[in-house]
Amino acid sequence: MGADTVIALAATAIALASFWVSYSQTKAVQSHNRQSVRPLLHVRRIKVDRDGTAGLQLTNAGLGPAIVTYSRARIDGEVLGEWNYHSQERLASALPVRPGAHSMRQGAVLTPGQSVLLVYLEEFREEDHLWFWA
């Protein structure tokens, strides 16, 4: 084997290794970019906020928009179905005071930083509305 053949084989090996590194880096960057703009949904109970409202708050704490693919409401183990007007009516019919509600139907969008109260009581007073919080 001549010197020219050895140099050609070494150049080919280096080119293939360089291609593999470039391909791996491209995949890693694409994965990172997808992960960095993902939504991050956070549900929390709020007892009393600035205006005296208590409820269940859904917040998109991620960097990308959250598109609702499905929602499911469950109360005491009973599935009410999708969190929409009909399930809200079923919930409200059993309560002494009708709470406010925000539907999360399929296709709804929650932008980064946006918060919605899924179910809430305005002017919450613990002595009158303890049933809502317990």
Side-chain angles (χ1 to χ4, degrees), residues 71-75 77-84 87-88 91:
S71 62
R72 182 178 304 145
R74 189 179 334 192
I75 305 282
E78 177 191 356
V79 177
L80 300 178
E82 182 181 35
W83 185 242
N84 58 21
S87 58
Q88 294 163 11
L91 170 68

Side-chain angles (χ1 to χ4, degrees), residues 3-52:
D4 291 340
T5 306
V6 173
I7 291 172
L9 288 174
T12 302
I14 291 170
L16 288 174
S18 174
F19 174 74
W20 179 80
V21 168
S22 177
Y23 179 77
S24 298
Q25 283 295 92
T26 300
K27 287 297 184 187
V29 166
Q30 287 175 345
S31 176
H32 174 266
N33 289 345
R34 269 193 306 275
Q35 297 293 325
S36 67
V37 295
R38 286 178 56 183
L40 175 62
L41 297 180
H42 180 68
V43 177
R44 67 184 186 142
R45 294 186 330 164
I46 296 179
K47 195 162 192 177
V48 177
D49 67 3
R50 285 175 260 131
D51 60 353

Side-chain angles (χ1 to χ4, degrees), residues 82-101:
E82 182 181 35
W83 185 242
N84 58 21
Y85 177 78
H86 302 294
S87 58
Q88 294 163 11
E89 285 296 312
R90 285 182 60 194
L91 170 68
S93 66
L95 300 175
V97 176
R98 181 179 177 78

Side-chain angles (χ1 to χ4, degrees), residues 67-130:
I67 300 172
V68 176
T69 56
Y70 73 94
S71 62
R72 182 178 304 145
R74 189 179 334 192
I75 305 282
D76 294 333
E78 177 191 356
V79 177
L80 300 178
E82 182 181 35
W83 185 242
N84 58 21
Y85 177 78
H86 302 294
S87 58
Q88 294 163 11
E89 285 296 312
R90 285 182 60 194
L91 170 68
S93 66
L95 300 175
V97 176
R98 181 179 177 78
H102 182 91
S103 296
M104 292 308 290
R105 287 179 244 122
Q106 184 175 359
V109 176
L110 206 61
T111 59
Q114 182 181 4
S115 294
V116 293
L117 287 167
L118 296 175
V119 61
Y120 60 93
L121 278 179
E122 294 177 340
E123 300 177 11
F124 176 82
R125 289 181 308 281
E126 196 160 342
E127 60 275 1
D128 296 335
H129 303 120
L130 190 58

